[in-house]
Amino acid sequence: MTLSIAPIAVGGKLNISLPDATCFDVRIKQLQLEQDTAKSTFHPRTQTSHLDLNRSGTGLMEIVSEPDLRSPEEAGAYVRALQAVLRAVGASDGNMEQGSLRCDINVSVNRVGRPPGTRCEIKNLNSVKFMMAAITHEIHRQRAILESAPDIDMATVPQETRGFDEHRFETYKLRSKEDAPDYRYMPDPNLGELVLSKERVQAIRDTLPELPWETRQRLETDFGLSERDVEVLLRVDSGREVQYDGEISGSSSSAVAYFDRLCVGYNSKEGIRRSPKAVVNWMTHELLGQLASRKESFKDNHISVEQMGELIDMVQEKTITGTSGKLLLRYMLANPSQAPTRQIATELQLISFQASSDPASCGTSLFLPDLHTVCADAIAALPEEVASVRKGRKNVLNKIVGRVMKDTRGRADAPAVKALLEKMIVEEQ
């Protein structure tokens, strides 16, 4: 059953951006409510169809767009943009693989300057990848039919409803149809029209959450993020869970909300926030990279905003080195804990030597030698290398730096070590 004759919204549009910075609008003809009848699965190998009636009666929303798409890439960008909007407003999680969103596409080809050709509909596509592949195959199929005809001007493509074979990446015929009457629409006297008052529509409009294009503009304008960084955050954010009735499962599952809290959480009393660039680098390169190496996604991240923020602060303040920070992040992902990041770093003896020279800063009675002492020991242990440096062979200094880094187990800042060694060697000379 369908309410196509009484849609709840008409005349919409969605602005689409392509990777090459091209932007265009896709007109949305109408949005209507329908009722699912069953799930039909066709098996090309056995030429049989299986019907799953468990979905019978399930309500669904159909979004009908105008023929404004000209390529598989444009169609893919449109569906991704639509997914982002549906997730943002909480209407759906947009998961195509699990059936929350499906696409029926109409494909036609025509010569430049000619009217659109006969369209063929491809049903029930369950991923953007398969949708783009189906469009590509259908374009080639229809072109081959037209170009092989004796009279190209009189050639036509049979109007059909087709399916898509996900293994062969080809479309196949399901049934022929002449026109819309083949759908056999008929009014249902038991199905009333859904009427939304202007007040209700305005209340919904006033309480809409931040939409994807607004989020993009805010991240680029307020935080100064690059287009690439914004794209990564939004792509990760598209995988967050959306619960029933649009309830989002906490800010921890939203990459953008996680980023926002990391940026503003440094010293809110004094109005100081963390560097957005440092935050996005630690999120996109380190955190997401570590999760990917563990075959996990952002929704599997159990490091709290407070823990991640403290880790970034410790690296920025040189309490720990960048290398130690990456090691600490890997350890925290593998060993979930509610303990503060500084406490975990101290237990792992990752506090840098500059910060470790004060025992109070470590929260432990263990007093580590300062960096000057470690450098002096390295100079005493490598007299030949020191002599070479004094003769002007500056590259040999790197070997002494390596010795200090080994003795400190990477807890010293390499540039600071190099500067201190050079100063000590020159002064002793």
Side-chain angles (χ1 to χ4, degrees):
M1 287 187 272
T2 176
L3 283 174
S4 61
I5 58 174
I8 61 176
V10 296
K13 68 177 181 179
L14 188 60
N15 185 261
I16 310 300
S17 298
L18 296 177
D20 62 359
T22 303
C23 295
F24 63 96
D25 288 335
V26 175
R27 294 170 296 157
I28 297 177
K29 180 180 180 181
Q30 64 187 46
L31 185 154
Q32 65 213 30
L33 295 182
E34 297 193 352
Q35 194 176 57
D36 208 348
T37 53
K39 178 181 178 181
S40 174
T41 305
F42 180 74
H43 298 274
R45 184 175 180 182
T46 59
Q47 293 295 300
T48 59
S49 293
H50 293 175
L51 295 179
D52 181 1
L53 298 177
N54 289 312
R55 288 172 49 171
S56 179
T58 302
L60 56 87
M61 173 176 60
E62 180 164 359
I63 302 172
V64 184
S65 61
E66 298 284 5
D68 294 335
L69 302 169
R70 296 293 179 264
S71 69
E73 292 74 22
E74 290 186 4
Y78 169 65
V79 172
R80 291 190 183 98
L82 195 58
Q83 282 178 310
V85 173
L86 293 173
R87 285 166 174 153
V89 301
S92 170
D93 61 15
N95 193 315
M96 299 185 71
E97 289 76 10
Q98 295 180 4
S100 301
L101 177 67
R102 292 294 175 94
C103 293
D104 296 342
I105 57 175
N106 291 285
V107 180
S108 66
V109 299
N110 61 277
R111 292 184 178 277
V112 177
R114 300 289 183 86
T118 305
R119 63 182 175 88
C120 291
E121 184 179 19
I122 306 173
K123 304 286 289 186
N124 282 330
L125 296 165
N126 63 357
S127 79
V128 174
K129 172 185 175 182
F130 290 152
M131 179 194 68
M132 294 174 65
I135 295 173
T136 301
H137 177 267
E138 189 62 16
I139 289 173
H140 289 302
R141 187 188 73 86
Q142 293 188 23
R143 285 187 60 181
I145 292 175
L146 296 176
E147 292 173 353
S148 63
D151 187 350
I152 296 180
D153 293 330
M154 298 298 294
T156 59
V157 175
Q159 187 169 357
E160 298 173 338
T161 297
R162 302 180 67 84
F164 180 68
D165 188 329
E166 299 174 359
H167 302 289
R168 302 177 62 183
F169 274 52
E170 296 178 354
T171 64
Y172 56 88
K173 180 179 178 180
L174 290 175
R175 59 182 178 271
S176 298
K177 65 178 181 182
E178 294 300 325
D179 211 336
D182 270 21
Y183 280 108
R184 294 176 176 84
Y185 290 125
M186 60 187 69
D188 188 333
N190 297 318
L191 194 63
E193 293 185 11
L194 176 63
V195 179
L196 299 177
S197 66
K198 293 183 178 179
E199 293 77 13
R200 174 61 175 161
V201 173
Q202 187 60 45
I204 295 173
R205 182 179 289 114
D206 293 341
T207 56
L208 279 176
E210 188 176 56
L211 297 173
W213 49 88
E214 296 171 337
T215 302
R216 180 185 295 275
Q217 183 178 11
R218 178 174 62 83
L219 293 175
E220 291 179 351
T221 304
D222 296 352
F223 293 99
L225 299 187
S226 67
E227 185 176 344
R228 176 189 173 278
D229 289 335
V230 172
E231 194 63 38
V232 171
L233 284 178
L234 293 179
R235 186 167 62 248
V236 173
D237 203 52
S238 67
R240 72 179 188 272
E241 295 180 1
V242 178
Q243 305 295 340
Y244 295 108
D245 297 326
E247 179 186 357
I248 298 176
S249 58
S251 61
S252 61
S253 65
S254 168
V256 173
Y258 195 87
F259 170 81
D260 286 336
R261 291 181 60 194
L262 278 174
C263 283
V264 302
Y266 181 52
N267 193 333
S268 55
K269 292 182 180 180
E270 298 181 11
I272 302 174
R273 70 182 188 185
R274 295 186 180 93
S275 163
K277 188 61 179 176
V279 170
V280 78
N281 282 340
W282 274 95
M283 273 192 66
T284 59
H285 296 141
E286 306 305 333
L287 179 58
L288 294 178
Q290 293 286 352
L291 288 170
S293 67
R294 295 168 56 85
K295 294 181 171 53
E296 295 176 343
S297 63
F298 185 77
K299 65 182 179 181
D300 301 311
N301 172 41
H302 52 255
I303 297 179
S304 68
V305 172
E306 292 73 21
Q307 289 176 317
M308 190 67 194
E310 190 173 9
L311 188 153
I312 296 173
D313 295 341
M314 292 174 70
V315 174
Q316 295 294 102
E317 296 165 359
K318 300 188 182 301
T319 304
I320 59 176
T321 64
T323 301
S324 296
K326 297 174 185 178
L327 178 62
L328 180 58
L329 180 62
R330 188 182 307 119
Y331 177 86
M332 293 171 67
L333 286 172
N335 302 274
S337 170
Q338 299 299 319
T341 305
R342 183 177 295 271
Q343 177 182 328
I344 300 174
T346 302
E347 293 172 354
L348 296 177
Q349 296 185 358
L350 294 177
I351 303 297
S352 67
F353 264 61
Q354 296 97 317
S356 299
S357 59
D358 179 7
S361 68
C362 300
T364 175
S365 60
L366 177 62
F367 183 76
L368 298 173
D370 61 19
L371 192 58
H372 190 282
T373 303
V374 180
C375 289
D377 292 341
I379 291 173
L382 301 171
E384 294 182 2
E385 285 75 6
V386 171
S388 297
V389 173
R390 288 171 177 165
K391 292 178 181 178
R393 298 174 59 187
K394 297 296 185 181
N395 291 337
V396 181
L397 185 61
N398 293 329
K399 183 174 181 180
I400 309 176
V401 173
R403 173 63 179 262
V404 174
M405 298 302 293
K406 179 180 178 181
D407 291 344
T408 60
R409 294 192 303 148
R411 288 175 290 167
D413 182 61
V417 169
K418 187 171 184 178
L420 181 57
L421 282 172
E422 192 167 11
K423 179 181 178 182
M424 293 173 65
I425 292 174
V426 172
E427 287 180 352
E428 287 182 7
Q429 186 177 9

